[in-house]
Amino acid sequence: MAGPTDDVEYEQMLLWRHDLAYHRGGRHENALLERSAYVLLSRIRVQGPMSIGELSDAFGLDASTLNRQTAAATRAGLTERIADPEGGMARKFRITDKGARLLDEERERVVRALDQVMHDWPDEDIAAYAAYLKRFNTGIEHISKRPWPRP
């Protein structure tokens, strides 16, 4: 007999299919940032400058993957390498003004899309949905031991 988590699995699969911001290739034609850059910049904005090692730990990805992503972000002018503000040996990546502007614009675009989807939802339902998503994500973060800082 199917249980409630079977329903969650199915709806989650559909949610991935309906991703509002991105399509094949990691970028929607109207997207300002690729998915990996959007997530990378979001993490650096919340946490502050991060080294490759810190990013690798945060995302659970190998350093070579993060090297490619940060190199692309740096070439695009979204991040820049700086000396560790706390005096450590590793250089860190911080978000540039251009990166912050594009992240803000992309986030606004995604929020507008969500506003269209939930245009007839009461504010209380939207708040409850957000709380459930946060609870779901923090449960995953607890299992993976990779908490995501929230603003």
Side-chain angles (χ1 to χ4, degrees):
M1 182 159 110
T5 52
D6 291 291
D7 293 339
V8 171
E9 178 279 328
Y10 195 80
E11 293 302 327
Q12 183 175 323
M13 178 273 301
L14 290 176
L15 182 61
W16 291 338
R17 186 185 119 239
H18 292 301
D19 191 337
L20 292 172
Y22 302 95
H23 297 285
R24 279 201 173 97
R27 185 171 177 154
H28 183 275
E29 63 188 39
N30 296 323
L32 301 170
L33 298 171
E34 290 189 7
R35 180 190 303 242
S36 61
Y38 185 72
V39 176
L40 177 74
L41 295 177
S42 294
R43 180 64 185 246
I44 292 171
R45 171 178 275 166
V46 172
Q47 190 163 338
M50 297 178 75
S51 68
I52 288 290
E54 290 168 330
L55 289 165
S56 178
D57 290 343
F59 288 103
L61 298 171
D62 60 82
S64 64
T65 300
L66 269 307
N67 274 320
R68 283 191 300 276
Q69 290 180 2
T70 55
T74 301
R75 277 192 308 276
L78 306 174
T79 59
E80 61 188 351
R81 291 190 76 145
I82 61 167
D84 184 343
E86 293 155 13
M89 295 297 291
R91 294 181 53 83
K92 296 196 174 194
F93 291 90
R94 82 171 159 207
I95 191 170
T96 63
D97 290 342
K98 176 183 177 182
R101 179 181 51 77
L102 289 176
L103 179 60
D104 289 341
E105 290 174 12
E106 186 71 2
R107 183 162 281 132
E108 288 171 15
R109 190 182 71 75
V110 173
V111 168
R112 282 193 307 273
L114 289 168
D115 284 340
Q116 288 179 342
V117 170
M118 297 185 280
H119 75 278
D120 60 346
W121 290 32
D123 287 346
E124 301 79 29
D125 287 358
I126 296 171
Y129 183 64
Y132 282 128
L133 282 174
K134 181 179 179 182
R135 185 175 172 188
F136 186 80
N137 280 326
T138 56
I140 293 170
E141 293 163 14
H142 177 75
I143 291 168
S144 70
K145 297 180 178 30
R146 287 190 184 89
W148 190 277
R150 286 166 172 79

